[in-house]
Amino acid sequence: MKRYFLLLLVLVLGFFLVSCDGEEEIEGNGEIFVDKEWDIYPTEHTLTQPVEIDFWSANSAVDIHGITQADLVERFNQYQRETYPDSYIKVKISFQGGYVNQNTKLQAALIGKTNPEIAMVGVSSFSIYWDNAIDMRQIYTYDEIRDIHEGFLQFAMYKHKFIGYPFYAATNVFLVNRTLAEATGLAVPTVAEIIADPENSYWTWDYMKTLTKKISDETEEGVYGLASTGPALYESFYTQGLPIYNETATQVLFNNEAGIRTLTYWRELVAEGNMENPVLDPNHGTKIQGKFVEGKVGLLWASSSAIKSVYENVYENRVAQGLDPLFEMDVLPFPKYKNFYSNQSGGGLIVFNNKSENKTKAAIEFLRWLTAPEQTAYFSINTGYLAATKSATQTEIWQEYAQINPLLDRTIALMDFAPEGDLKIPLGRAKALADDDFAKYVKGIYYDDLTRDIKAVLKECADRVQYILETNGW
């Protein structure tokens, strides 16, 4: 009897360990297009009575993003009332004022099951909701997923689940004052030229340093060739064909020669006068965008979400007043070491799996309507987020806007530069926190008049990030 009791205890403990630590049993993040038939939710309206659902946005209610989202929600609600008067869906939208607030509130709400049916979440936080999300492959067919630009699927998969739809698509680019850059006499490539022949492109990190140095040296005092808040993490390493963390974001991989090369490059930009030291002014990050509009910066590292507002100030608003543009504005990708790479940023939409069948169906119907080509294009051209799908950029409203502002189209074209070969985007619960701490600690290269030891700064940064990965990787 004692022997059987011990055997039963072992089995129970074994089940408990697997249940509590189930994520550890899953290796890697998996691929989207697996050989599997998915049980997809109905694509037609199957509700038989009115249903109300909640949608939480991470934006503010008073910025252009929140206003446009509220407008789209009202359009959907009106369409539902007119089309299905006896079984319409009503979406209630609320605004949380930032991704951090959104995550805090969502995680608290999930405990008490008071969470919304659908929510906007930053791409770096998708993995937090692995247990709580419906797999997007139960909502969209493989053909519909292939309509999404590959570069906007970098964060889709976590532990073999497609967690969030990349509706709030963004990336990092260089905004370019082409007038200022070409005045140096050096060639400045276009996006079309780079995409046409990336292997033979001269747009390398060394060439960018030469160009920005020439802009700084040959223009008036106070004009810099490049402006940035600090070293670019993913772009600096992924253009070398190297990872920064392992695939599950539990191990630092940048404390090496590639890390030394990266930090040395970014400090030399300041030391050689190409770039203003980003740690001397606490408001540096906000000021450099203004300086770019004023024509005092040749290349500005920025999120693509800034393109629309900057372009309006440089070009659209002035032309509307009968004035000449301030200068010719363009975009360029981060240069290459071995290859080009465009990161994915922004956010996506998650449908939660703890709601009733009718509310879940309603959330999915709303999601499908919102991500259809017309709505995607409308949201993009009004907010500056990038249109995630190819079909959205083929709509009439997008084509008309692209005649006024071609820069969003050019930026989307860069999303073909996804990670190459076996290189994977790290996805893990601590990734977003780790990225934030990297950005803080790596700035040590700029303190004490640029005299700190590069290797020491890199090690301190790596140690800190490793600590974050280990203590928050639950």
Side-chain angles (χ1 to χ4, degrees):
M1 179 65 69
K2 183 177 180 181
R3 179 180 177 184
Y4 287 122
F5 175 77
L6 289 173
L7 179 59
L8 179 62
L9 181 61
V10 168
L11 289 173
V12 170
L13 285 173
F15 175 77
F16 177 78
L17 289 171
V18 170
S19 299
C20 290
D21 203 20
E23 290 188 52
E24 297 301 318
E25 301 299 317
I26 302 174
E27 294 185 3
N29 291 322
E31 302 295 334
I32 292 176
F33 303 107
V34 294
D35 185 13
K36 175 180 176 178
E37 290 290 329
W38 291 91
D39 185 14
I40 294 180
Y41 281 86
T43 56
E44 64 275 8
H45 183 85
T46 61
L47 299 174
T48 58
Q49 61 186 26
V51 175
E52 184 173 282
I53 61 172
D54 289 307
F55 167 36
W56 286 10
S57 165
N59 289 131
S60 164
V62 296
D63 64 20
I64 187 61
H65 309 96
I67 292 170
T68 305
Q69 284 180 98
D71 176 42
L72 282 168
V73 166
E74 180 51 38
R75 290 185 183 203
F76 175 79
N77 287 343
Q78 181 178 346
Y79 160 76
Q80 285 282 317
R81 289 191 298 269
E82 293 173 353
T83 310
Y84 311 107
D86 298 324
S87 60
Y88 60 85
I89 300 167
K90 180 181 179 181
V91 177
K92 286 172 43 185
I93 186 170
S94 60
F95 301 91
Q96 311 307 323
Y99 284 126
V100 174
N101 286 342
Q102 178 81 302
N103 281 335
T104 301
K105 292 180 180 179
L106 277 176
Q107 290 176 75
L110 282 164
I111 295 172
K113 295 186 178 180
T114 58
N115 57 284
E117 282 71 26
I118 185 169
M120 171 187 179
V121 173
V123 292
S124 291
S125 298
F126 280 177
S127 56
I128 296 173
Y129 303 99
W130 178 76
D131 282 329
N132 313 108
I134 291 175
D135 195 306
M136 286 291 149
R137 292 169 294 187
Q138 293 182 264
I139 300 173
Y140 297 96
T141 66
Y142 278 177
D143 284 344
E144 289 170 330
I145 295 170
R146 290 189 184 97
D147 186 40
I148 302 171
H149 289 277
E150 182 184 358
F152 294 132
L153 294 171
Q154 295 180 51
F155 289 91
M157 295 295 295
Y158 179 66
K159 294 196 179 294
H160 299 262
K161 180 182 281 190
F162 186 167
I163 295 178
Y165 186 97
F167 186 68
Y168 308 90
T171 187
N172 291 329
V173 290
F174 280 110
L175 307 186
V176 181
N177 181 331
R178 185 167 283 278
T179 303
L180 194 60
E182 290 184 345
T184 64
L186 292 176
V188 184
T190 65
V191 167
E193 290 169 349
I194 292 171
I195 290 175
D197 190 8
E199 290 187 7
N200 294 311
S201 175
Y202 60 85
W203 186 237
T204 64
W205 287 94
D206 285 342
Y207 190 87
M208 187 180 78
K209 182 188 284 189
T210 300
L211 174 64
T212 55
K213 176 64 172 171
K214 202 166 176 61
I215 293 172
S216 298
D217 288 349
E218 296 183 2
T219 50
E220 62 185 88
E221 185 72 23
V223 174
Y224 286 89
L226 185 146
S228 169
T229 57
L233 175 57
Y234 287 87
E235 295 86 352
S236 295
F237 284 84
Y238 277 53
T239 55
Q240 298 181 63
L242 299 171
I244 52 171
Y245 317 131
N246 62 344
E247 186 178 352
T248 52
T250 56
Q251 183 66 45
V252 164
L253 300 176
F254 59 75
N255 188 13
N256 48 35
E257 289 301 315
I260 295 171
R261 178 165 57 247
T262 296
L263 269 59
T264 299
Y265 178 91
W266 281 95
R267 187 159 77 179
E268 285 178 350
L269 288 174
V270 174
E272 295 174 9
N274 308 32
M275 176 176 127
E276 190 173 7
N277 192 329
V279 303
L280 299 183
D281 187 336
N283 297 314
H284 178 81
T286 55
K287 286 184 176 180
I288 54 178
Q289 185 168 309
K291 289 183 178 181
F292 178 81
V293 172
E294 294 169 10
K296 295 183 178 180
V297 172
L299 281 75
L300 171 67
W301 170 23
S303 167
S304 61
S305 60
I307 292 174
K308 178 178 171 62
S309 61
V310 174
Y311 191 75
E312 286 175 348
N313 289 326
V314 171
Y315 181 87
E316 285 184 58
N317 293 343
R318 292 182 61 82
V319 170
Q321 299 172 43
L323 302 172
D324 291 333
L326 294 174
F327 50 82
E328 183 183 356
M329 181 177 161
D330 206 350
V331 293
L332 281 172
F334 280 76
K336 68 173 183 177
Y337 281 110
K338 293 175 56 179
N339 51 264
F340 289 102
Y341 167 71
S342 292
N343 80 311
Q344 179 189 358
S345 57
L349 290 162
I350 289 177
V351 178
F352 295 100
N353 60 13
N354 63 345
K355 296 295 181 174
S356 69
E357 181 179 358
N358 279 350
K359 284 183 176 288
T360 299
K361 286 181 179 179
I364 289 171
E365 188 170 339
F366 170 62
L367 176 64
R368 285 180 174 144
W369 180 89
L370 188 63
T371 57
E374 288 291 331
Q375 283 75 253
T376 297
Y378 177 82
F379 185 72
S380 178
I381 64 179
N382 280 279
T383 63
Y385 278 112
L386 302 174
T389 59
K390 303 175 184 75
S391 57
T393 59
Q394 295 164 3
T395 60
E396 184 177 348
I397 60 171
W398 179 275
Q399 296 290 338
E400 289 177 355
Y401 181 71
Q403 296 299 313
I404 301 169
N405 179 359
L407 301 189
L408 295 183
D409 251 346
R410 294 175 192 172
T411 304
I412 291 171
L414 295 173
M415 297 313 297
D416 286 341
F417 293 132
E420 294 193 351
D422 296 329
L423 194 60
K424 302 288 186 181
I425 289 293
L427 278 172
R429 296 181 184 275
K431 177 195 167 297
L433 293 173
D435 290 352
D436 286 344
D437 267 28
F438 174 89
K440 295 172 185 174
Y441 280 76
V442 77
K443 288 182 181 178
I445 61 174
Y446 297 122
Y447 287 106
D448 300 333
D449 294 324
L450 314 179
T451 60
R452 291 189 183 180
D453 181 70
I454 290 281
K455 290 183 179 179
V457 172
L458 181 62
K459 184 179 184 306
E460 180 185 19
C461 183
D463 289 345
R464 171 62 184 180
V465 172
Q466 185 61 50
Y467 169 78
I468 293 296
L469 293 177
E470 290 176 356
T471 56
N472 294 277
W474 43 272

